[in-house]
Amino acid sequence: MGERDPPPTQPIAVKVMSIGYCTGHQTGLVLCVPTSMYCTNIKDVDPVFHGAGAKPGLEIWCIEKLRLVPVPKSTIGKFYSGSAYVVLSTSVLKSGPTQHDIHYWLGNDANEVDSALASDKALELDEALGSCAVQYREVQGQETEKFLSYFKPCIIPAEGVYTSQQGTLNGDTYQVTLLTCKGDHVVHVKEVPFSRSSLNHNDVFILDTASKIYLFCGCNSSIQERAKALEVVQYIKENKHTGKCDVATIEDGKLVGDSDVGEFWSLFGGYAPIPRDSALSGPQHVDSPVILYWINLQGKLSQIGSESLDKDMLEKDKCYMLDCGAEVFVWMGRNTLITERKTSISAAEDFLRKQDRSNGTHLTFLTEGLETSIFKSYFNSWPQTVDTKLYDEGREKVAAIFKHQGYEVKELPEEDIQSYINCRGTLKVWRVDDHELFLIPASEQTKLYSGDCFIVQYTYPGNERDESLFYAWFGHGSVLEDRADAIFQMNAIVDSARGDPVMASFLFFLLQHLCSCSICCLDLANLMRQVEMGISWTEKDIPEFVKYFEAQVAQNKEPLQFFLIFQTLIVYKGGNSAGYKKFIAETGIDDDTYDEKKMALFRVQGTSPENMQAIQVDHVSSSLNSSYCYILQSENSVFTWIGNLTSSKDHDLLDRMIELINPAWQPVSVREGSEPDSFWSSLGGKTEYPREKEMKKFIEDPHLFKLICIEGDFKVKEIYSFSQDDLTTEDVLVLDCNKEIYVWIGRHSTIKSKQEAINLGLKFLQTDILEEQLSLESPIYVITEGHEPPFFTCFFEWDPSKANMHGNSFERKLATLKGKTSSGSAPSRNTLKSRSREATPDGLRSRSSSSNGWERRLSPASTISGSHLKFSDNHNVSSPTPVARKLFTESSPYQDSPIVESSFPSTNENSNQIDATETSANSLIYPYQRLTVSSPEPVSGIDVTKREAYLSEEEFAEKFGMPKGAFYKLPKWRQNKLKMTVGLF
C-alpha cells in the first residue's frame, strides 16, 4: 500500500478565478501560493482527500469496510466487481486553471451500502475542490468513454472485492475466460459465459487460455474493433502471461488449413455453425422525450418542462433533473447546500431504479457554471457571452485577500510564440485577377490588399525532403468571383503537387454568421459544389444571405503559422484586381486603395520582429486602441501614436515597421493623452475609442473528434485523452484547436478529395459541437496520413515509426503484436531519400535545411518530426480491402503555377491517372452515353475525374469542339466547366 506523496510546501503559480465561481472564463492573474491551500478548508471533508487534485493525473479511492482507502498507483486500472470506487482525474488546461472530473464506479456485485457511500464521497470530494468538478456515475460494463479513456487499452474487472492489505484478491488464480470487445477508440470489455452460444458474427471475442490467447473476429465486426481488440490481447499477454504466450487470430467462417482454428473450436467441444440471428445484440436506440424535473428538499420530483426548455428555468437555489432517456443530468444551483445536493443525487438514482432503467443510462451531476456542451444543447437558449467585469471584480477581491495574507500576486506572462517548422524557407505569392495568377515580385510579396485574393506557397526544408504549405488568402473586401477563382487555382496547384502538401483554407469566412440564419445545408453544399466545379459567381448568382453577411465579415482570422512564414506583413486597403475595380465602379464606392499620397492609418501588431504586421484601418479616431501603436500618414506629416497600455516591445515593432513601409519618413512621436490638434484634425476630430486593456483569449486545449457520415447523416464523436494511436487509418478526424481546425484523412478512409475534406471541416464548424462559438472564418488545414507537419504532430506524443506502417489498422496492430513490420512488400518510407523542388515560373529553388540563422523547434513531445515521412504511393499489398489512393491525384494543366516535383519515378504502376499526353494513345474507348454522370449503363473501373479521356477522338471533338490536346491546355476551371456542360463532370 503506497502512501500519497505529501503536498509540496514551496510556492507555485496558480491561476485564480472569481470567488466561488468556476466557469472556464478565467482572468490572467497569477497568485503564488502553496499547494496546501489548494483545497477548500472544510471540517467535514474526509482526511483521505487532503491534498487531492493538487497534481495532474489519476487518484483512486475504494470503499473498504465502510471507509474510503487510497488505491496504490501500482494497482491503478485494476477494479473488482464487488467493490465501489471514487476516481479523480486532474488536468491542467492551457488556459491556466486545473480541471477536475470525478467518477464513482460501481461494480456489478457491489452492495447498496458501498454504492451509496461512493456516491456521497464523490460529492464530498467535489465540495473539497470548491465545487468545480463534473461528477459521473459509472456502472461496470456500461462506463462512459471519458472514463475508459483513462485506462487504455481497457479495464477488465476481477471477481471479488478489493482489500488494501494485500492489494489483490486472496486466491486470485488463473482461469480460462471468454471476453467480448466493443468499441473503436475505447474498448468495453465484458466477460461472457465460456460457451459457443456466446459467440456471434457481429462482435470480436478473446479466448484467454493458459498457453495461448485466441482472437475470434465475427465476420460483421469492423476493422477498427478488431484492431482495438488486439490491444486488449497485448494487455492480457503482458499482464496475465508476463509476455510469454502465443497469440492466434481466428477468422469467422474459416474451418480448415490452420491448426489454430482446430484448437480454438476444440475448446468449445468441436465446431458448430453460429446462428445468424444471434448477431443481433445490444440495446436499440429509441428517441425519448426530454423532461425537466424540479427536485424539492424531500427528494420529490415535479415536472416543470418538456422538449422546449430555457436556461432561465434553472434557479440558483434549487436542484433539477433532466431526463434525456439514455442519459440523465442532475443540475445543482450554486446557492444549494451539500445536503440538498445529496438528496437530489439520491432522488435521481432512485428514479432510475424505480423505472428499471438500463445500467447503460449515464448519470451526470453538474454544478451551475460547469454545464457540459451536451447538457446545454437540450436548451433553446444558453448565454454565450460572459460579463468580464464580473471576473475582474472577483479577481480583485481574491488578489486583495491573498495580498493581505502575504502572498505574491502578479500578472500572468504572455506565452512564447513558437513555430514548429523552419520559417526561413521560400515564399511565393500569387495574386488572383480575372481568372489568372500573377506572381508577385519578391520585394512586394509581403504586401497584401484587402480587396484582392492571393495564393501563398511556402516551401521549407524538412527531414530528407522539402515540404510545402499552400494558403488561399481572401481580403475582406475581395469580390466573390475572385474568391471562387482563388479556390480553384489553389485546388489545381495542390492537385499537381506530389507528396501531398498541406493545404489550408480561409475560404469560409465569407459565410460568417450563417449558423444563426435559417439556411439549409443544401444551399451551402450547392455553393461549395459550384466552387469545386469552377463556376464563376456573379452578383446575381449569389444567394441573398451571402450578400447580407458579406459586409459583416471580419479580417484578421489568419492562423499564427501564416504570420510566422511571412514574418513581416503589411495589409493595405483597396485592391488591384479587375473584379474589385469593376465592383467599386458599379456600386459607386470610393476607391480607397492605398497610395503614398493619400491619408492612411496603420495599426501595428505582433510579438517579435519575426511576427509583426501593419494593418491599414479606417483613418478615424475610433480606430485607435490603447493596447496598440499606430502610424498616421497625413498629407504634410507622419505621426506615430503610442497607446498607454503598450510595452517597449510594441515600441520596437513600431520603429521597425516605419522603416519597412517608408524608410524616408521622419515621424513625429506622440503618446496617448498628449496629441497635438493637428493629429486629431487628420483623423477628422477626436472621438471615443477603446481604452481598456485588450484581454487576449486564452488558448483552448485541443479536442479530437471522429467524423461519421452515413447516407448524408453527419455525426461527430469526441475522442477523450487522445493520442497518436487514435489516428486510425480508416477514419476522418478533426483536431479542434478553436482558432483553427485540422481535418486528418486516413489512407483507408472513404474521403477521396481535399474538397470533400474541406466540406466536412465546414460542417464541423457549423455544428460547433462544444458550443465554443467556432467561427466559420476559422482556417481549415487538410492533413493526410503519413504527411503530418510538425505543427500538427506537436499536439501528440509523436512516434514517427507508427506513421511508417502500412496496411489497415488491424494488420498494423497484428504486426506490432507479433514483432514484425506491416509494410508488406512496399518499401519503407525511411529508405526513400527524396527531395522536392519547385518548378515555378522563375525556377527558384528552396533553401536547404542548413539555412543560417534558423534553430529548428520541434514538438515538445518529440525530437523527431513526422514531416520527413513523405511517401507518394499508398501501396497496400497485404490488405484485403482496396487501398485509398493518393488524396490529391489529378495532374495540373497549369504552366505558370507553383508545382512541387518529386524525385520519385514519374511512372506509377498503381496510378489510375490519365495524363494529357497519353490520352491520344489510350486504348480504352467507350461511347459518350456510357461515360456521362447520369448514364443508365455507366462504365466501371475508370477514372471518374477523367471521363472525357475515354472518348474517341471524333466524339471528343464533336462534344467539346476542339481536339484533346487543345482541351488539356485550358485552365482546370475551364475544363471543368466544359465537362459539366456535356455531363461529364
Side-chain angles (χ1 to χ4, degrees):
M1 166 65 201
E3 296 183 356
R4 174 186 303 281
D5 296 331
T9 56
Q10 70 272 21
I12 61 170
V14 296
K15 185 167 291 184
V16 176
M17 301 157 289
S18 53
I19 297 177
Y21 200 70
C22 302
T23 65
H25 299 275
Q26 293 79 16
T27 55
L29 183 73
V30 168
L31 305 179
C32 293
V33 301
T35 54
S36 59
M37 294 187 60
Y38 183 82
C39 296
T40 308
N41 185 20
I42 303 175
K43 295 181 181 179
D44 297 332
V45 170
D46 193 321
V48 77
F49 289 143
H50 176 68
K55 294 181 179 180
L58 286 179
E59 296 171 80
I60 302 180
W61 300 265
C62 184
I63 304 295
E64 182 185 18
K65 298 178 182 178
L66 300 182
R67 67 186 184 93
L68 206 61
V69 296
V71 174
K73 291 185 177 180
S74 60
T75 60
I76 282 182
K78 186 168 186 178
F79 292 83
Y80 288 90
S81 61
S83 297
Y85 296 77
V86 175
V87 177
L88 171 64
S89 171
T90 302
S91 57
V92 179
L93 304 180
K94 286 188 176 181
S95 53
T98 303
Q99 176 177 293
H100 302 293
D101 289 291
I102 299 172
H103 307 255
Y104 63 96
W105 185 90
L106 309 177
N108 288 336
D109 301 325
N111 61 56
E112 291 186 8
V113 175
D114 285 355
S115 298
L117 184 56
S119 174
D120 290 345
K121 288 297 181 181
L123 183 61
E124 189 177 311
L125 175 58
D126 179 42
E127 185 78 2
L129 295 171
S131 297
C132 283
V134 178
Q135 301 169 61
Y136 304 85
R137 185 188 71 158
E138 308 287 350
V139 179
Q140 180 181 342
Q142 303 293 337
E143 297 88 353
T144 62
E145 293 201 355
K146 188 180 189 73
F147 180 79
L148 290 176
S149 72
Y150 305 147
F151 306 101
K152 291 181 178 179
C154 65
I155 60 172
I156 305 177
E159 295 293 326
V161 296
Y162 172 81
T163 169
S164 59
Q165 293 179 347
Q166 298 175 354
T168 184
L169 179 67
N170 283 327
D172 186 13
T173 58
Y174 185 86
Q175 293 181 336
V176 175
T177 54
L178 180 63
L179 306 170
T180 180
C181 301
K182 295 184 179 182
D184 51 5
H185 285 277
V186 294
V187 188
H188 286 87
V189 179
K190 179 182 178 182
E191 184 174 353
V192 294
F194 179 24
S195 168
R196 184 191 296 107
S197 61
S198 296
L199 302 176
N200 63 56
H201 297 290
N202 272 16
D203 296 325
V204 182
F205 296 84
I206 296 173
L207 179 60
D208 179 21
T209 70
S211 59
K212 186 176 289 188
I213 303 173
Y214 298 88
L215 179 71
F216 176 83
C217 301
C219 58
N220 297 325
S221 61
S222 70
I223 293 293
Q224 294 97 317
E225 281 192 317
R226 298 179 188 185
K228 296 306 288 187
L230 278 174
E231 293 184 12
V232 178
V233 169
Q234 179 74 28
Y235 173 82
I236 295 173
K237 179 179 178 180
E238 293 175 355
N239 289 274
K240 292 188 67 177
H241 299 267
T242 64
K244 299 175 182 178
C245 76
D246 295 327
V247 174
T249 57
I250 309 299
E251 185 179 342
D252 187 7
K254 184 177 181 180
L255 306 179
V256 295
D258 193 332
S259 60
D260 290 330
V261 174
E263 290 178 7
F264 175 79
W265 287 113
S266 67
L267 293 170
F268 290 93
Y271 173 78
I274 300 173
R276 289 291 171 183
D277 56 356
S278 67
L280 297 175
S281 61
Q284 301 299 313
H285 175 72
V286 178
D287 289 332
S288 302
V290 177
I291 303 174
L292 181 65
Y293 297 90
W294 166 54
I295 308 174
N296 67 14
L297 298 178
Q298 290 73 41
K300 183 180 178 181
L301 302 180
S302 302
Q303 181 176 335
I304 62 172
S306 178
E307 300 301 334
S308 182
L309 305 175
D310 193 87
K311 199 267 182 185
D312 293 336
M313 301 172 73
L314 305 176
E315 300 181 27
K316 291 179 178 292
D317 58 351
K318 294 181 180 179
C319 295
Y320 301 85
M321 187 184 82
L322 183 68
D323 181 11
C324 307
E327 54 190 349
V328 174
F329 299 90
V330 173
W331 185 92
M332 301 170 289
R334 277 279 164 189
N335 297 340
T336 55
L337 301 175
I338 189 170
T339 53
E340 297 176 68
R341 298 182 184 188
K342 282 185 178 181
T343 300
S344 299
I345 292 173
S346 297
E349 292 173 332
D350 289 341
F351 173 82
L352 296 182
R353 275 194 296 268
K354 290 176 182 178
Q355 290 213 346
D356 198 24
R357 291 286 185 93
S358 163
N359 284 339
T361 303
H362 292 149
L363 187 54
T364 306
F365 308 101
L366 306 166
T367 304
E368 180 185 356
L370 297 173
E371 297 85 357
T372 62
S373 57
I374 297 176
F375 177 82
K376 291 187 286 187
S377 69
Y378 290 109
F379 291 79
N380 294 330
S381 61
W382 198 275
Q384 295 293 323
T385 57
V386 177
D387 184 3
T388 55
K389 258 189 180 177
L390 170 67
Y391 297 101
D392 287 339
E393 292 172 2
R395 181 184 64 169
E396 290 169 6
K397 291 178 181 178
V398 174
I401 292 171
F402 278 86
K403 281 182 179 179
H404 181 70
Q405 295 181 5
Y407 295 107
E408 180 186 358
V409 181
K410 60 184 180 181
E411 287 290 328
L412 185 71
E414 289 189 11
E415 188 170 343
D416 291 336
I417 301 299
Q418 179 171 323
S419 174
Y420 293 102
I421 67 171
N422 183 339
C423 290
R424 297 185 181 274
T426 301
L427 180 69
K428 290 192 178 296
V429 182
W430 284 261
R431 178 169 56 85
V432 177
D433 191 356
D434 197 20
H435 309 310
E436 296 184 14
L437 290 181
F438 293 90
L439 180 64
I440 306 297
S443 60
E444 300 292 318
Q445 64 187 8
T446 58
K447 300 174 183 179
L448 307 181
Y449 287 82
S450 61
D452 291 337
C453 297
F454 297 85
I455 293 174
V456 176
Q457 178 192 6
Y458 180 68
T459 305
Y460 61 97
N463 295 345
E464 300 184 352
R465 61 171 297 162
D466 288 346
E467 310 287 358
S468 290
L469 266 172
F470 287 90
Y471 291 91
W473 186 91
F474 301 81
H476 65 77
S478 59
V479 297
L480 295 176
E481 291 159 298
D482 284 348
R483 295 175 186 176
D485 281 342
I487 295 169
F488 282 109
Q489 300 277 12
M490 184 180 71
N491 284 349
I493 292 168
V494 174
D495 282 341
S496 69
R498 298 180 183 179
D500 289 328
V502 175
M503 184 183 76
S505 174
F506 309 140
L507 63 98
F508 300 127
F509 72 78
L510 74 155
L511 301 175
Q512 185 184 26
H513 307 307
L514 287 187
C515 288
S516 61
C517 304
S518 299
I519 305 300
C520 69
C521 292
L522 181 59
D523 290 333
L524 278 176
N526 287 338
L527 261 180
M528 295 309 302
R529 196 172 296 113
Q530 290 182 43
V531 172
E532 190 173 1
M533 290 180 177
I535 302 175
S536 297
W537 294 348
T538 62
E539 192 67 18
K540 63 183 178 62
D541 295 325
I542 306 303
E544 289 299 317
F545 64 86
V546 176
K547 292 181 186 177
Y548 291 148
F549 291 108
E550 183 188 357
Q552 300 177 35
V553 170
Q555 207 172 345
N556 302 326
K557 286 290 183 178
E558 300 87 346
L560 174 63
Q561 191 62 58
F562 182 81
F563 286 141
L564 290 176
I565 63 175
F566 272 91
Q567 299 192 6
T568 300
L569 183 65
I570 304 172
V571 180
Y572 295 110
K573 278 181 165 289
N576 298 298
S577 77
Y580 175 78
K581 297 297 185 184
K582 178 182 177 182
F583 172 75
I584 61 174
E586 291 177 347
T587 55
I589 298 175
D590 292 336
D591 188 356
D592 60 355
T593 302
Y594 176 75
D595 188 325
E596 291 186 357
K597 299 178 181 179
K598 293 182 180 179
M599 188 172 297
L601 180 66
F602 295 90
R603 182 183 71 243
V604 179
Q605 61 188 38
T607 60
S608 69
E610 288 74 37
N611 173 30
M612 61 178 184
Q613 304 87 41
I615 312 297
Q616 186 178 356
V617 296
D618 294 337
H619 51 276
V620 292
S621 55
S622 60
S623 296
L624 299 175
N625 187 311
S626 299
S627 297
Y628 294 98
C629 295
Y630 290 80
I631 300 170
L632 174 61
Q633 171 191 336
S634 63
E635 294 180 359
N636 302 318
S637 58
V638 175
F639 293 95
T640 58
W641 186 84
I642 300 174
N644 285 335
L645 300 178
T646 57
S647 64
S648 58
K649 176 197 67 179
D650 298 319
H651 308 160
D652 176 62
L653 297 183
L654 176 65
D655 294 339
R656 291 173 181 269
M657 196 57 75
I658 283 283
E659 288 292 320
L660 288 170
I661 296 177
N662 191 332
W665 279 349
Q666 297 295 324
V668 177
S669 180
V670 297
R671 285 193 169 270
E672 182 179 3
S674 60
E675 302 88 350
D677 292 339
S678 58
F679 176 85
W680 295 117
S681 62
S682 297
L683 293 176
K686 184 177 181 179
T687 59
E688 285 300 313
Y689 58 86
R691 298 172 186 268
E692 297 80 19
K693 184 172 181 63
E694 189 173 85
M695 299 299 293
K696 292 185 172 126
K697 186 175 180 182
F698 287 109
I699 300 174
E700 300 288 343
D701 282 68
H703 295 262
L704 186 67
F705 296 89
K706 178 180 177 179
L707 303 186
I708 306 169
C709 300
I710 301 175
E711 297 179 354
D713 186 18
F714 179 79
K715 293 183 179 180
V716 176
K717 173 184 172 184
E718 181 164 10
I719 301 171
Y720 300 99
S721 307
F722 65 84
S723 67
Q724 183 183 357
D725 288 334
D726 289 307
L727 301 178
T728 310
T729 187
E730 291 84 12
D731 288 340
V732 179
L733 303 168
V734 166
L735 184 66
D736 175 12
C737 299
N738 189 263
K739 291 184 179 180
E740 58 202 29
I741 68 172
Y742 299 82
V743 180
W744 182 90
I745 310 297
R747 281 194 208 99
H748 290 69
S749 73
T750 58
I751 301 301
K752 297 297 186 292
S753 76
K754 65 194 169 298
Q755 195 62 55
E756 266 188 278
I758 290 179
N759 288 346
L760 290 176
L762 176 58
K763 286 183 179 179
F764 179 85
L765 293 176
Q766 289 175 291
T767 305
D768 195 11
I769 192 69
L770 294 179
E771 298 199 4
E772 53 188 335
Q773 295 181 293
L774 288 176
S775 171
L776 289 177
E777 306 168 4
S778 301
I780 300 174
Y781 285 90
V782 177
I783 309 290
T784 57
E785 182 185 3
H787 304 278
E788 296 86 354
F791 54 85
F792 174 81
T793 61
C794 68
F795 295 107
F796 302 82
E797 295 283 341
W798 196 258
D799 180 358
S801 65
K802 292 181 179 179
N804 189 39
M805 302 184 76
H806 296 273
N808 60 40
S809 54
F810 176 74
E811 293 166 337
R812 297 180 188 188
K813 295 291 183 184
L814 185 60
T816 301
L817 184 63
K818 294 187 176 182
K820 302 175 183 178
T821 64
S822 63
S823 59
S825 61
S828 167
R829 289 189 190 88
N830 289 330
T831 64
L832 297 173
K833 303 288 185 178
S834 172
R835 295 180 304 164
S836 65
R837 62 179 181 275
E838 293 178 293
T840 47
D842 54 356
L844 290 178
R845 291 287 303 275
S846 300
R847 300 173 187 173
S848 70
S849 57
S850 60
S851 300
N852 293 330
W854 173 60
E855 179 180 350
R856 176 176 260 278
R857 295 185 180 183
L858 294 172
S859 164
S862 174
T863 58
I864 305 176
S865 79
S867 60
H868 70 287
L869 300 174
K870 294 278 180 176
F871 189 68
S872 65
D873 301 318
N874 294 328
H875 298 282
N876 180 20
V877 176
S878 57
S879 174
T881 56
V883 179
R885 299 296 180 189
K886 274 182 53 179
L887 184 60
F888 311 126
T889 57
E890 292 183 36
S891 59
S892 172
Y894 290 87
Q895 301 299 321
D896 301 316
S897 301
I899 299 173
V900 177
E901 289 187 351
S902 167
S903 59
F904 289 116
S906 59
T907 57
N908 179 1
E909 63 183 7
N910 290 316
S911 174
N912 59 358
Q913 298 181 33
I914 301 176
D915 191 84
T917 60
E918 299 173 354
T919 54
S920 59
N922 180 24
S923 59
L924 298 177
I925 301 297
Y926 297 99
Y928 168 75
Q929 290 78 8
R930 295 193 62 194
L931 290 170
T932 61
V933 175
S934 58
S935 174
E937 297 181 61
V939 180
S940 60
I942 65 169
D943 183 354
V944 295
T945 66
K946 290 283 188 179
R947 296 175 185 271
E948 76 286 349
Y950 298 94
L951 291 171
S952 65
E953 292 288 350
E954 297 75 15
E955 203 163 18
F956 187 99
E958 176 188 345
K959 297 298 180 183
F960 289 94
M962 66 184 75
K964 290 185 179 180
F967 175 82
Y968 286 112
K969 291 180 181 179
L970 297 174
K972 186 61 174 293
W973 64 269
R974 194 176 295 278
Q975 291 181 29
N976 290 342
K977 289 179 72 173
L978 290 173
K979 288 194 289 184
M980 190 178 66
T981 59
V982 296
L984 295 177
F985 192 89

